[in-house]
Amino acid sequence: MKITDAKVFVGGPGKNYVTLKIMTDQGVFGLGDATLNNRETLPAAYLRDYLVPNLIGMDPRNSEDIWQFFYRGAYFRRGPIAMAAFGAIDMALWDIKGKLANMPLYQLFGGKSRDGAMVYAHATGADLPDLMDSVARYVDQGYKAVRVQCGIPAMPTTGYAVPEKTGGQGDFITDFSGIRPKIEIWDTDRYLRFMPTALAEIRDRFGPELKILHDVHHRLTPREAAAFAKEVEPVGLFWLEDPTPAEDQDALRLIRHHSTTPIAIGEVFNSVWDCNRLIEDELIDFIRIAVTYGGGITPVKRIVDLAGLHHVRTGFHGAPSHSPISMAAQHHLNAWAPNFGIQEYLVLGTPECDALFPSDHAMHDGMMQVSDAPGLGVDFDESEAARYDYKPGSHPVVRLEDGTMWHY
């Protein structure tokens, strides 16, 4: 069995998805996702110009050897561009493998460990009453876990993933008006004065059963993060996400020494080498690495196994950075993983997105039900893909009030 061709598509409804389709001489094809948010043309070019020409003629069943060929064969390793491209290839090869076996991928991993995987939604508000309304809507829909982000009083701009006005949309933060990013202004002192009280009020209103998550988005120093994590312990957060910049792994040690608040980190990680110390030293409770940015199913499954040895659970990234293809790969890992924790889930199911990526994966009452179709369980309609072109966009950047660049 040989790979005969591979195509790369860039575009989608309101998003520049990077989709890889690998074809074989037996008519079986596989799909992968290489979407790198706001840098989408870079992994697409890497695939087209360097990786796909090497794929032609390879046996797609040898997914382990092919992954090693690209990873070890590159002198300059890792990084989000390369790993997203490798991840797309690896997903597509696993998709082919599942189709050949006539099994959903979770069966190839060892079968299901659960009937459904708990997901969490994103509740946002320009102010606290607005956020409370957003949380209530998700609770009414059956969600058991909700991430909460709130505008900070007197902050010059609304802050990370928060709508600019009451009732607005704060989840999708790519600005397609141009490549130059907008500037958000951040004030740590205002945040630290407001957010612990806001989290306590959310807990008081919604009671002990709702799982509450909060994302700091790398914006605190280690000392500030340790103090914040200690202060919010009575809230009983399900997790505190990205309290400090992810590059400094020792920062998590300071937080751990001062607080028992669960810590989730890793959505910007690209390999086991970014997180092995955090896992082995048990400085985190949830690993957030994504199948796309982590280089595919093959290496991420190894990270899940390592995490399971150290009481660390999964919490895969699931923002709009990922297409339904990579989300499907994560659904299968979630169904299998003995140390599953939770899955981030932003609703992608618009009619346009469903037409581009038909799938039987389904979410009911806050639980993801994985498809039993062979392989990933997601298809790709090339005629629909022809409707979309690449459109440049950007995330905001962050400055302090005095103009200092800060962590996005």
Side-chain angles (χ1 to χ4, degrees):
M1 187 176 191
K2 301 296 182 184
I3 295 171
T4 56
D5 196 9
K7 299 179 182 179
V8 181
F9 305 82
V10 182
K15 185 67 187 175
N16 294 313
Y17 295 120
V18 181
T19 303
L20 175 69
K21 184 175 183 180
I22 295 178
M23 283 74 76
T24 70
D25 58 2
Q26 293 186 18
V28 181
F29 67 87
L31 299 171
D33 174 38
T35 307
L36 180 61
N37 220 25
N38 304 138
R39 301 290 186 271
E40 297 93 347
T41 58
L42 301 180
Y46 192 26
L47 283 163
R48 288 184 181 122
D49 296 343
Y50 296 96
L51 304 183
V52 167
N54 281 282
L55 274 175
I56 307 304
M58 288 184 169
D59 187 333
R61 295 168 294 189
N62 296 333
S63 54
E64 178 68 51
D65 182 68
I66 291 173
W67 195 91
Q68 299 293 343
F69 176 87
F70 287 123
Y71 182 82
R72 292 188 177 185
Y75 186 70
F76 299 99
R77 298 178 181 177
R78 298 157 59 188
I81 297 169
M83 296 303 271
F86 299 165
I89 292 171
D90 191 67
M91 274 181 253
L93 298 182
W94 275 97
D95 192 22
I96 291 170
K97 200 184 301 284
K99 290 172 180 175
L100 290 173
N102 197 32
M103 289 183 178
L105 286 193
Y106 68 79
Q107 292 289 9
L108 301 187
F109 302 156
K112 281 186 179 180
S113 295
R114 59 198 48 82
D115 294 327
M118 182 172 60
V119 303
Y120 70 89
H122 285 194
T124 62
D127 53 31
L128 187 53
D130 191 30
L131 173 57
M132 293 285 196
D133 291 343
S134 180
V135 175
R137 286 193 294 271
Y138 285 117
V139 170
D140 289 344
Q141 293 172 34
Y143 284 86
K144 301 170 180 63
V146 181
R147 192 194 80 170
V148 297
Q149 306 297 127
C150 189
I152 310 300
M155 185 108 53
T157 58
T158 56
Y160 166 66
V162 172
E164 295 180 359
K165 59 184 179 180
T166 300
Q169 174 60 261
D171 285 346
F172 192 64
I173 47 183
T174 296
D175 175 18
F176 287 108
S177 64
I179 201 66
R180 186 178 292 274
K182 291 182 178 179
I183 296 174
E184 292 182 353
I185 304 300
W186 177 256
D187 187 304
T188 298
D189 290 339
R190 289 190 176 107
Y191 169 83
L192 290 175
R193 287 194 298 268
F194 172 77
M195 204 65 213
T197 301
L199 291 171
E201 291 187 27
I202 293 168
R203 174 61 73 205
D204 287 344
R205 173 168 171 182
F206 292 98
E209 296 302 320
L210 180 67
K211 293 173 174 57
I212 300 173
L213 302 81
H214 178 61
D215 187 357
V216 183
H217 224 248
H218 318 114
R219 296 190 182 183
L220 300 180
T221 66
R223 186 208 61 77
E224 292 165 345
F228 182 84
K230 180 68 174 177
E231 186 173 1
V232 301
E233 279 182 5
V235 175
L237 290 179
F238 185 81
W239 80 31
L240 183 66
E241 182 179 344
D242 291 337
T244 61
E247 294 93 336
D248 183 3
Q249 299 198 10
D250 282 335
L252 277 296
R253 196 176 306 277
L254 178 66
I255 300 170
R256 194 59 126 195
H257 286 172
H258 287 82
S259 174
T260 58
T261 296
I263 301 299
I265 201 165
E267 68 185 57
V268 298
F269 291 165
N270 303 132
S271 81
V272 68
W273 307 113
D274 296 319
C275 58
N276 62 310
R277 283 176 53 209
L278 295 177
I279 292 171
E280 291 163 359
D281 293 349
E282 299 179 7
L283 300 178
I284 58 175
D285 301 275
F286 298 89
I287 181 63
R288 296 268 292 136
I289 195 165
V291 171
T292 296
Y293 305 149
I297 292 168
T298 296
V300 169
K301 190 174 183 295
R302 292 195 180 102
I303 294 174
V304 174
D305 283 330
L306 175 64
L309 298 177
H310 295 280
H311 319 291
V312 175
R313 291 186 284 169
T314 63
F316 295 133
H317 192 226
S321 315
H322 311 291
S323 87
I325 295 171
S326 60
M327 291 300 294
Q330 295 181 167
H331 296 333
H332 285 282
L333 287 170
N334 292 336
W336 154 77
N339 53 324
F340 168 76
I342 200 167
Q343 172 64 59
E344 182 177 23
Y345 179 76
L346 271 71
V347 178
L348 301 175
T350 64
E352 294 82 6
C353 194
D354 291 343
L356 183 59
F357 299 103
S359 169
D360 290 329
H361 297 288
M363 206 277 292
H364 301 291
D365 294 326
M367 305 289 283
M368 178 57 65
Q369 309 297 324
V370 68
S371 171
D372 285 325
L376 285 169
V378 177
D379 207 346
F380 179 69
D381 190 326
E382 292 189 42
S383 63
E384 284 289 320
R387 299 173 51 195
Y388 304 106
D389 295 315
Y390 168 73
K391 185 177 183 181
S394 63
H395 274 170
V397 296
V398 176
R399 293 185 183 272
L400 303 183
E401 287 191 278
D402 67 0
T404 303
M405 281 297 301
W406 203 239
H407 308 287
Y408 176 71

